[in-house]
Amino acid sequence: MLPSELVKYKKNSKKIIALTAWDSISGSIAEESGADIVLVGDSLAMVCLGYKSTLPVTLENMIYHTNAVSRGFKKSINEHPLLICDMPFLTYQCGEDKAVEYAGKVIKNTYAKAVKIEGAEPEVQDVISRLIRMGIPVMGHLGLTPQNYLNLGLKKQGEDIENKEKIKRQALTLEKLGCFSIVLEHIPDLLAKEIQENLEIPTIGIGAGNFCDGQVRVTADLLGLSEKQPPFCSPIISGKKNFIEILKQWVESEKSN
Ligand code: KIV
């Protein structure tokens, strides 16, 4: 699927499901679960590399993990989920030329068909517009933007009128610039609803209620594997606890043999 084809989902009221992946096992699990999109999110910094935030992850890390994810796909390149790679911190904040070079590396060296970029400050808008003109599809990301946590923290965004209006304006701007879809993270449900209704491109929510055109989840959070669970993602299974219990039993039975 090409990124531009996602808009058909919205037109046909077909819900979009995106799951994150960080290696070939999580890639194959996400694909076989039926996800439409597999996002190699920079959350892999915490989920798989043990960092405390997304800031330390590098472009090389993202390319390496994106390739591992696609090696886990079983379906042919035209049939596997739409693969999207996050642009990590400082790969698009240092000017348009660098952003084209770095996003270009992702597209040239992986099977990702698009990149995701956080925020919509004027400098980021210029970058997004240039990338799209240069043939690199961009998914936007508004609301809680973890790469900006040193300024904004990790709290819910869009709760006061000024911030709410800003996010609404930014969403419209990203659509105008040519983003094919926007992730809305940790914002009030009704704000997500207004944005969803005002855009032609699909909105994909996480911690943004049920009115979005799709949902995205960090697969490790959903499976209860993460060290620190975000308040807006309830796990559907206590994965880590269950794995530890069952492995403990195996270790003990082996030791007693
Ligand atoms: O990095 C990530 O996993 C993300 C999702 C939370 C959308 O950006």
Side-chain angles (χ1 to χ4, degrees):
M1 171 169 47
L2 289 176
S4 56
E5 290 173 56
L6 263 195
V7 77
K8 280 193 231 145
Y9 281 65
K10 178 161 183 156
K11 280 204 179 111
N12 299 328
S13 304
K14 196 174 156 203
K15 202 101 184 222
I16 300 163
I17 297 298
L19 287 173
T20 70
W22 50 92
D23 62 7
S24 62
I25 294 180
S26 54
S28 80
I29 290 173
E31 181 192 51
E32 288 187 48
S33 311
D36 306 295
I37 296 175
V38 172
L39 171 69
V40 185
D42 60 357
S43 57
L44 70 79
M46 287 101 87
V47 161
C48 133
L49 300 178
Y51 292 118
K52 295 274 179 273
S53 79
T54 58
L55 302 191
V57 80
T58 64
L59 184 71
E60 288 70 31
N61 294 151
M62 295 306 294
I63 290 176
Y64 179 85
H65 286 276
T66 303
N67 283 326
V69 167
S70 64
R71 283 195 290 272
F73 290 159
K74 304 287 177 303
K75 293 185 183 156
S76 67
I77 181 161
N78 291 327
E79 283 172 39
H80 66 55
L82 173 61
L83 185 62
I84 302 177
C85 175
D86 258 355
M87 291 304 291
F89 184 54
L90 293 193
T91 56
Y92 57 93
Q93 290 90 342
C94 305
E96 293 175 38
D97 288 348
K98 281 198 174 159
V100 173
E101 183 187 338
Y102 295 147
K105 275 194 180 163
V106 170
I107 299 297
K108 275 174 98 106
N109 296 304
T110 75
Y111 285 113
K113 292 199 181 109
V115 295
K116 176 163 78 58
I117 284 184
E118 291 183 10
E121 294 309 322
E123 298 82 354
V124 175
Q125 290 179 25
D126 291 343
V127 161
I128 290 176
S129 158
R130 173 93 174 269
L131 289 177
I132 295 170
R133 281 187 290 116
M134 294 302 110
I136 300 175
V138 178
M139 171 183 252
H141 183 154
L142 297 175
L144 169 58
T145 46
Q147 288 180 23
N148 201 11
Y149 90 97
L150 293 175
N151 279 324
L152 300 177
L154 293 172
K155 61 180 191 292
K156 195 169 195 171
Q157 298 296 306
E159 297 222 271
D160 63 75
I161 187 79
E162 204 180 309
N163 192 227
K164 186 175 153 187
E165 291 306 315
K166 181 174 175 187
I167 296 172
K168 281 201 288 189
R169 271 197 315 276
Q170 289 182 326
L172 284 170
T173 302
L174 291 185
E175 173 165 276
K176 266 202 203 118
L177 292 175
C179 285
F180 66 88
S181 136
I182 304 176
V183 166
L184 298 175
E185 179 165 356
H186 208 17
I187 61 169
D189 300 14
L190 290 180
L191 172 56
K193 181 171 189 279
E194 255 189 85
I195 296 172
Q196 188 277 341
E197 287 169 352
N198 284 322
L199 295 187
E200 281 180 22
I201 56 170
T203 55
I204 310 211
I206 174 164
N210 286 326
F211 298 112
C212 293
D213 302 294
Q215 294 292 328
V216 55
R217 292 292 181 276
V218 174
T219 306
D221 294 342
L222 211 48
L223 297 179
L225 296 172
S226 301
E227 219 39 67
K228 205 163 167 252
Q229 202 72 32
F232 48 84
C233 179
S234 308
I236 50 177
I237 178 183
S238 302
K240 186 169 177 187
K241 192 167 154 262
N242 292 352
F243 286 147
I244 291 173
E245 266 167 28
I246 204 148
L247 285 172
K248 249 188 183 168
Q249 283 171 23
W250 180 80
V251 169
E252 276 160 23
S253 78
E254 284 300 313
K255 281 190 176 174
S256 62
N257 271 338

